[in-house]
Amino acid sequence: MTTARGILARLRDGDRLTEAELFWFAEGLASGEVTDSQAGAFAMAVCTRGLGPEGRVMLTTAMRESGDVLKWDLDGPVLDKHSTGGVGDSVSLLLAPALAACGAYVPMISGRGLGHTGGTLDKLEAIPGYRTQVSVEDLQEIVADIGCAIVGASADIAPADRRLYAVRDVTGTVESIDLITASILSKKLAAGLEALVLDVKVGTGAFMAAPADALALAEALVKTAQGAGCMTSALVTDMNQPLGRTAGNAVEVMEVMEALTGGDPASDLMRVTVALGGEVLALGGLAADAADGEGRIRRALDSGQAAEVFGEMVAELGGPVDFVERWRDRLPAAKVMVDIHPGDAGTVAAIDARALGEAVVQLGGGRLRQEDRVDPAVGLSDIARIGQKVDPKTPLLRIHAASEEAARAVAAAVRNAFTLGSGEVEAPPLIHERIG
Ligand code: URA
């Protein structure tokens, strides 16, 4: 007879678990048959012993199958992208409607901010009325009608992961490549995707600061997703500075709306969006190759088609019907704005992106405890980039805060996040590697 105790003993001894055992355990997590202490022991044993590449695929599939798995009958491919998390990274908001404008269907199940990184759902909730929690039926209907919907995971999507993630959070077992891979992919693949592109971040603002760790995660994610039957590739992209010029919730939505309505096509935010979009359009058969896909995404962004889809998605999910025309009036603004200047003139040589993400959390734009309420209006904007010349009259960034006191509390930390050098400084490469 299969028991949690038996499975845990085999894991403890370094044995490889069978598919039947991992399915039994995932089902037990979802049903409550597996207790919290058994879930904690499982997470710790996986952290220390590892599952191996085949075990990763089996755990991912088992957790995906622990809840609803969406089925589609559409006239285009079902595609998505996932980022491992960064600062000032609002690619999802640009890419989902751009892919839809290119003929794809994008059921983008997204998350909230984690640690110092921003969350797509928190950003969208800065739009008054936007509902991030919808039923699986509503999600399918909106995606079929409009082409994309960005929403949170319902309780019926990968419930085994919901349970295991909460236990990992309090047992020091978040940082396991096996568990991160199964957690991310079980939720993504439950959306019934045909192809997926992953944006694995590396640098000071990423969970994986070291290139070797980011590469290992990218390889595990790609091989596991492919092993679970989804065409997948990954780009390892730079997070040694915020991706965009803003970090926060409403401020990032403002940057997205500027990009969708005629923003700078050469910005790093646009370049990463286009590169990821090109990859997944090619995987999904909507482009001859990644370069052709990039051209299609650029045209969807430049022509205003992506903006139109974004507006339809916002309206369908309860936001203002005139958001694309009136976003400046619709988004909340912070009470206090303070520019932060450097003490000396120089060139921005390095940025501690994690420190900037932590400042956003401290301002109230993220959570210190799960139950904290996020202030959508606070954050950072006009963030200087590596290689940019600054001086005591040219700000490093602008703080958007709820009070003078809150702005003062983060001022030193955000100033110290910038290292100035002299002469010309080259920015790090934006796309480090492609895996797949
Ligand atoms: N995001 C997830 O969904 N799961 C993890 O384990 C880490 C990041």
Side-chain angles (χ1 to χ4, degrees):
M1 191 177 83
T2 308
T3 61
R5 216 166 132 195
I7 290 174
L8 291 169
R10 279 174 29 74
L11 251 186
R12 177 200 62 206
D13 295 342
D15 293 342
R16 290 284 182 239
L17 296 183
T18 64
E19 188 169 34
E21 285 171 320
L22 285 164
F23 268 74
W24 186 94
F25 204 87
E27 225 174 273
L29 283 167
S31 69
E33 166 105 21
V34 168
T35 66
D36 272 356
S37 54
Q38 289 167 333
F42 176 84
M44 187 57 82
V46 172
C47 265
T48 55
R49 290 293 195 172
L51 287 175
E54 284 174 13
R56 262 179 219 152
V57 174
M58 292 189 292
L59 181 62
T60 300
T61 324
M63 295 213 303
R64 179 191 68 190
E65 298 294 322
S66 70
D68 286 349
V69 180
L70 274 52
K71 302 261 181 304
W72 301 94
D73 180 17
L74 299 165
D75 58 4
V78 180
L79 310 180
D80 198 2
K81 85 101 199 180
H82 178 79
S83 155
T84 56
V87 179
D89 171 11
S90 49
V91 167
S92 292
L93 275 61
L94 290 167
L95 189 53
L99 288 170
C102 292
Y105 291 91
V106 188
M108 192 177 270
I109 296 177
S110 297
R112 300 198 173 276
L114 193 62
H116 66 281
T117 66
T120 298
L121 299 184
D122 295 328
K123 293 171 203 180
L124 285 167
E125 284 177 359
I127 301 174
Y130 192 105
R131 282 181 300 125
T132 53
Q133 289 306 317
V134 298
S135 66
V136 165
E137 293 72 32
D138 284 353
L139 168 65
Q140 293 205 267
E141 211 176 295
I142 297 169
V143 169
D145 278 359
I146 291 166
C148 69
I150 310 178
V151 295
S154 81
D156 303 326
I157 297 284
D161 176 63
R162 188 175 285 251
R163 182 90 194 290
L164 191 58
Y165 194 88
V167 170
R168 285 167 62 207
D169 208 20
V170 292
T171 53
T173 53
V174 170
E175 292 88 353
S176 144
I177 285 198
D178 291 339
L179 294 175
I180 293 174
T181 300
S183 170
I184 290 174
L185 292 179
S186 59
K187 288 180 295 242
K188 280 282 155 184
L189 302 188
L193 308 179
E194 283 162 69
L196 172 67
V197 66
L198 295 153
D199 183 4
V200 178
K201 302 285 186 193
V202 63
T204 57
F207 285 113
M208 301 290 177
D213 294 339
L215 195 57
L217 178 60
E219 279 172 352
L221 284 164
V222 169
K223 287 210 177 82
T224 306
Q226 288 175 344
C230 181
M231 290 179 286
T232 305
S233 66
L235 298 181
V236 178
T237 69
D238 193 66
M239 189 34 69
N240 283 300
Q241 57 183 332
L243 182 59
R245 292 272 183 177
T246 59
N249 297 303
V251 288
E252 284 192 47
V253 177
M254 289 177 200
E255 186 170 14
V256 163
M257 295 318 296
E258 273 165 8
L260 284 173
T261 53
D264 173 10
S267 72
D268 285 352
L269 175 62
M270 283 289 225
R271 285 171 59 209
V272 170
T273 303
V274 166
L276 291 165
E279 279 288 320
V280 78
L281 281 184
L283 287 175
L286 285 176
D289 54 25
D292 176 37
E294 290 189 7
R296 289 171 191 268
I297 295 287
R298 266 212 188 282
R299 285 192 290 282
L301 291 165
D302 293 348
S303 63
Q305 279 175 288
E308 203 175 305
V309 175
F310 188 84
E312 287 169 14
M313 176 182 76
V314 167
E316 196 64 34
L317 284 161
V321 291
D322 56 359
F323 190 69
V324 175
E325 298 76 42
R326 304 286 303 276
W327 56 270
R328 284 189 176 79
D329 311 325
R330 302 289 184 227
L331 287 167
K335 285 207 186 78
V336 172
M337 292 186 202
V338 180
D339 287 346
I340 299 295
H341 298 88
D344 295 307
T347 312
V348 178
I351 300 178
D352 182 347
R354 175 180 282 254
L356 296 183
E358 277 164 1
V360 173
V361 174
Q362 200 183 330
L363 284 165
R367 295 175 190 78
L368 289 168
R369 287 168 308 179
Q370 213 175 351
E371 62 276 15
D372 285 350
R373 268 176 68 92
V374 165
D375 182 343
V378 302
L380 309 172
S381 71
D382 306 276
I383 304 170
R385 302 198 67 70
I386 295 176
Q388 190 175 323
K389 304 260 190 263
V390 290
D391 59 47
K393 288 202 184 113
T394 314
L396 295 167
L397 53 73
R398 174 171 291 176
I399 297 173
H400 299 238
S403 66
E404 299 279 353
E405 196 188 348
R408 261 197 308 276
V410 299
V414 298
R415 186 180 287 113
N416 293 338
F418 291 80
T419 304
L420 298 192
S422 54
E424 298 298 315
V425 176
E426 218 177 289
L430 189 57
I431 296 172
H432 293 243
E433 305 255 3
R434 179 190 179 279
I435 318 283

